[in-house]
Amino acid sequence: MHKYLNLLKEHGLLKIIDKPCDIELEIAHISYIEVKKDDSKALIFTNPTNKNGDNFPPVITNIFGSFKALEIIFGRDISDISDEISALLKPKKPNSLKEKIDFFGYILSLKSIFPKRLKGKGICQECEFKEPNLYKLPVLKTWDDDGGAFITMGQVYTKALNGTTQNLGMYRLQVHSQNELGMHWQIHKDGAHFFHEYKKAGMKMPVSVAIGGDPLYIWCGQAPLPKNIFELMLYGFIRKKPAKLVKSLTNDIYVPFDADFVIEGFVDPNELRDEGKFGDHTGYYTPIEPFPLMRVTKITHKKNPIFSATVVGKPPLEDKFMGYATERIFLPLLKTSVPDLIDYKMPENGVFHNLILAKFAAAYPAHAQQIAHAFWGVGQMSFVKHAIFVGSDAPALDDYSAFCEYVLSRISPASLLITSGICDQLDHASPNACFGGKLGVDASVDKSTPAPTLLSDDELLIKFQKISPEILALRQIFTQTKNPITMIKTLKTAPLKELFNKLLALKEHFKILVFMDSDARLENHYMNVWRVTNNIDALRDIFINGEQIGIDATAKNALDGYHRQWPQMTNCTRSVIDGLIKKGLLDSNNEFFEKFEIFG
């Protein structure tokens, strides 16, 4: 870790904060604000403390907080890695003697992908706690209503019951006591699959959690590799040298020899503990639910360790950059399942799994639907809730304004595919946990109908309010297209499908209505994409009547047939922000705070 901190410092990408900062809220709030800046930097807190005045090892946050930092951590341009994977998947036959020698040498070099197990102790085991005590680690509490502190960048190492397969994942790890750690293994993750193997066998499951070391370990922990592929093989492929592992001291799990901290222990499959609630990367809290419990048997660390942490909440966050690397590196692998795919993009304000944009070589009717079903059947792509498909002539996928104009000039209700499937366990919009509605939009074929007769925002608002005084405000966007979007701020007292049906009396003046809660800022397109993609279940919340489409992006309740508890947003604590401004650790910038809905 020290090596990469020095590199970040050399490139002006590291900010050192020497003033005391509390591990409860303060460090997280500073990091949350920093990563949203255009020139965001990694932050190292040299004097973390708590309300008791305890001292802790330094904390590093936002280490992946910029595209330049990403390049430094990976050691080369992300596109080079993607190109190498493409070449490996479609090898070119060598012709000359030199090409044959080079190709043979490259094949031999691939042996470096396999992790190397070392004998003896690693530097991660230079020091040991006399007794396991998680309270001696600077574990952050991020949000005021969080159920406690949790480790956010823990590399969780597990293995299958038969010992043939090892896994690295990154999960939320709640500190329950000085020697008890919650394991937020979501139902679809490999760690959860291993857990059920041990439970069936009636055996305790060994687990080791590494923190720090080479930052690339962290990224590998969230990489969407196929089942039974050890994530550190990808580390070896990228680094061109094997990951070096050492055996834990109290279980038989192997961990990186250079980790800053290692937490070892066992999970009893018959013991669960309520976990949460916690603000998560969706920007909403997840509910209290029972999850497995790890009993800690040993904590070791290197000399002068640094504790790695990240912050979850509303976008943009550090996962914007980590997700970009995932998106680019896994494009060649995705193409093996979807050969006509040209490119794809997962905007961070769509929270990645909530929205995907895809460009493909359209060749025949219903081609987009075929690709949609292929996406929804491929690994972690199966969690994607909303997908928009365009042909090869569409604008670049990251030119969002041009892309939206292109799509809205071509679609109609006939372009929509609404179905159901599995969802991420963190999804809150669907009426059921882990499965719900999905939406595919085929903009590869022009199925547009004539544009509506537009009125000004004020004129349209007056007409709408005559139908329903619950409509507070509206704003029309992309009015230059055949499908302008009318964003409506409303006070919901009945199912919004009823309001949509009433507004059809004025259907000549609109095409797409999007209903928002009263606290939404209709001019904030970036955050409204986040709200809409988070808050809708396509089967329940999309209404179609003729050429008109309605979308209910409001919070749901029993009126909507929704009987789960709708979660709160992750909002910063104003008194904490004010205190940090007084300490000179944050700038007072109301425009910035409103732009990213810092306080809701």
Side-chain angles (χ1 to χ4, degrees):
M1 183 61 74
H2 287 276
K3 169 187 174 182
Y4 292 96
L5 295 186
N6 289 334
L7 287 171
L8 291 172
K9 187 175 181 180
E10 288 173 14
H11 288 83
L13 295 173
L14 179 66
K15 185 185 294 185
I16 300 171
I17 298 177
D18 290 321
K19 290 184 179 180
C21 291
D22 200 322
I23 59 174
E24 182 169 329
L25 302 184
E26 284 192 342
I27 289 178
H29 278 38
I30 294 170
S31 304
Y32 184 71
I33 298 295
E34 176 67 28
V35 78
K36 297 179 187 304
K37 298 177 182 177
D38 291 335
D39 60 345
S40 68
K41 296 176 173 60
L43 304 176
I44 185 160
F45 298 86
T46 61
N47 195 5
T49 186
N50 61 14
K51 289 180 173 57
N52 297 326
D54 297 328
N55 296 316
F56 299 95
V59 174
I60 177 75
T61 65
N62 295 348
I63 193 167
F64 289 92
S66 67
F67 289 111
K68 183 61 179 176
L70 205 63
E71 186 178 318
I72 290 170
I73 289 168
F74 278 81
R76 50 181 167 148
D77 192 274
I78 300 297
S79 62
D80 292 342
I81 302 169
S82 179
D83 291 344
E84 185 179 353
I85 293 174
S86 293
L88 187 63
L89 293 172
K90 295 181 180 179
K92 178 184 175 184
K93 182 180 179 181
N95 294 314
S96 68
L97 178 61
K98 182 180 183 304
E99 287 179 349
K100 291 177 180 178
I101 292 172
D102 289 345
F103 181 72
F104 184 64
Y106 178 73
I107 295 299
L108 286 177
S109 74
L110 291 179
K111 68 179 182 181
S112 65
I113 70 173
F114 298 102
K116 182 178 181 180
R117 292 184 173 184
L118 306 179
K119 295 181 180 180
K121 290 186 176 182
I123 59 174
C124 62
Q125 296 159 331
E126 288 176 324
C127 307
E128 300 179 27
F129 284 18
K130 289 183 179 180
E131 296 290 337
N133 189 346
L134 294 166
Y135 294 136
K136 291 185 177 180
L137 302 179
V139 184
L140 306 185
K141 181 178 178 182
T142 305
W143 302 108
D144 213 4
D145 290 327
D146 277 353
F150 69 98
I151 296 171
T152 52
M153 269 191 166
Q155 306 156 37
V156 181
Y157 291 88
T158 56
K159 67 173 185 175
L161 179 63
N162 62 14
T164 59
T165 306
Q166 192 164 347
N167 178 257
L168 162 60
M170 196 163 76
Y171 316 108
R172 187 168 69 207
L173 307 170
Q174 180 177 359
V175 176
H176 286 298
S177 73
Q178 70 177 28
N179 66 342
E180 294 175 318
L181 199 59
M183 290 280 135
H184 191 260
W185 281 321
Q186 296 171 44
I187 192 171
H188 305 107
K189 304 296 185 182
D190 285 347
H193 297 156
F194 291 170
F195 171 80
H196 289 294
E197 291 179 2
Y198 283 87
K199 184 172 183 178
K200 188 175 181 180
M203 296 175 61
K204 290 185 178 181
M205 177 178 175
V207 179
S208 288
V209 179
I211 298 170
D214 188 332
L216 191 57
Y217 302 143
I218 298 167
W219 179 83
C220 289
Q222 55 81 61
L225 284 170
K227 190 176 179 180
N228 297 329
I229 302 295
F230 187 24
E231 286 74 10
L232 288 187
M233 291 174 66
L234 181 57
Y235 173 94
F237 179 83
I238 294 170
R239 280 278 182 262
K240 300 306 176 193
K241 61 181 182 181
K244 296 177 181 178
L245 309 179
V246 293
K247 186 177 174 294
S248 299
L249 300 182
T250 58
N251 65 35
D252 57 358
I253 298 292
Y254 280 78
V255 295
F257 85 108
D258 58 343
D260 284 72
F261 294 90
V262 178
I263 303 168
E264 305 173 9
F266 293 85
V267 169
D268 183 340
N270 296 310
E271 185 176 16
L272 301 178
R273 181 76 58 84
D274 280 349
E275 189 255 17
K277 65 181 180 180
F278 283 118
D280 216 297
H281 77 278
T282 59
Y284 288 83
Y285 282 84
T286 52
I288 298 172
E289 291 182 303
F291 278 92
L293 183 73
M294 173 184 175
R295 294 196 178 274
V296 179
T297 52
K298 178 72 71 174
I299 299 176
T300 67
H301 60 86
K302 65 170 61 169
K303 295 175 182 177
N304 303 313
I306 298 174
F307 191 89
S308 300
T310 189
V311 176
V312 294
K314 300 174 190 175
L317 294 170
E318 200 171 354
D319 59 8
K320 167 184 176 178
F321 308 101
M322 297 174 75
Y324 169 80
T326 302
E327 176 189 282
R328 294 299 93 197
I329 288 172
F330 282 85
L331 176 59
L333 292 171
L334 187 55
K335 285 182 176 180
T336 63
S337 299
V338 190
D340 296 310
L341 182 67
I342 296 171
D343 198 6
Y344 77 113
K345 183 72 179 174
M346 304 180 82
E348 78 277 357
N349 55 333
V351 196
F352 304 103
H353 60 268
N354 280 348
L355 177 63
I356 185 170
L357 317 176
K359 182 182 288 190
F360 71 105
Y364 42 79
H367 199 167
Q369 287 91 325
Q370 181 188 43
I371 292 179
H373 287 297
F375 272 25
W376 289 329
V378 177
Q380 292 192 30
M381 277 290 177
S382 59
F383 299 136
V384 171
K385 287 175 62 178
H386 313 108
I388 302 175
F389 300 94
V390 296
S392 57
D393 62 337
L397 299 181
D398 57 0
D399 185 349
Y400 296 135
S401 180
F403 178 85
C404 290
E405 185 172 339
Y406 175 90
V407 170
L408 291 170
S409 296
R410 297 169 68 84
I411 65 166
S412 71
S415 308
L416 307 187
L417 169 65
I418 298 177
T419 184
S420 63
I422 68 169
C423 295
D424 191 288
Q425 192 167 357
L426 300 178
D427 177 68
H428 64 264
S430 298
N432 317 287
C434 300
F435 71 96
K438 291 180 179 286
L439 170 68
V441 180
D442 179 8
S444 66
V445 179
D446 190 341
K447 296 181 180 179
S448 62
T449 57
T453 302
L454 292 177
L455 301 175
S456 69
D457 286 354
D458 290 340
E459 291 171 327
L460 188 60
L461 179 60
I462 290 170
K463 290 182 178 292
F464 276 12
Q465 287 180 330
K466 286 181 179 178
I467 293 175
S468 173
E470 296 172 5
I471 295 175
L472 305 177
L474 65 78
R475 183 183 182 93
Q476 298 175 96
I477 58 176
F478 295 104
T479 54
Q480 72 277 26
T481 71
K482 293 181 181 178
N483 290 277
I485 298 174
T486 305
M487 308 291 295
I488 299 174
K489 188 185 295 191
T490 181
L491 285 173
K492 182 168 69 174
T493 59
L496 286 174
K497 188 173 184 178
E498 296 177 9
L499 177 56
F500 171 73
N501 288 334
K502 291 177 182 178
L503 295 175
L504 289 172
L506 297 170
K507 64 183 180 182
E508 69 272 18
H509 299 304
F510 67 84
K511 280 293 186 71
I512 302 174
L513 303 181
V514 180
F515 298 98
M516 308 290 288
D517 286 311
S518 58
D519 63 343
R521 296 175 176 84
L522 298 184
E523 72 282 358
N524 193 339
H525 303 327
Y526 180 90
M527 295 305 296
N528 286 337
V529 169
W530 166 75
R531 285 175 179 254
V532 171
T533 56
N534 255 311
N535 288 349
I536 71 171
D537 177 275
L539 284 171
R540 180 194 59 219
D541 298 328
I542 296 179
F543 323 129
I544 297 174
N545 188 303
E547 297 177 5
Q548 277 63 40
I549 299 171
I551 301 173
D552 178 4
T554 63
K556 305 304 183 298
N557 55 39
L559 290 171
D560 309 292
Y562 185 92
H563 300 291
R564 302 164 67 189
Q565 184 177 2
W566 193 263
Q568 305 165 255
M569 294 181 185
T570 54
N571 297 324
C572 287
T573 304
R574 192 176 291 272
S575 60
V576 174
I577 295 293
D578 290 343
L580 293 170
I581 291 170
K582 288 180 181 178
K583 292 179 182 179
L585 293 171
L586 285 180
D587 295 325
S588 179
N589 187 335
N590 289 330
E591 183 180 349
F592 180 93
F593 296 160
E594 288 185 7
K595 178 180 179 181
F596 295 112
E597 300 190 4
I598 298 300
F599 302 115

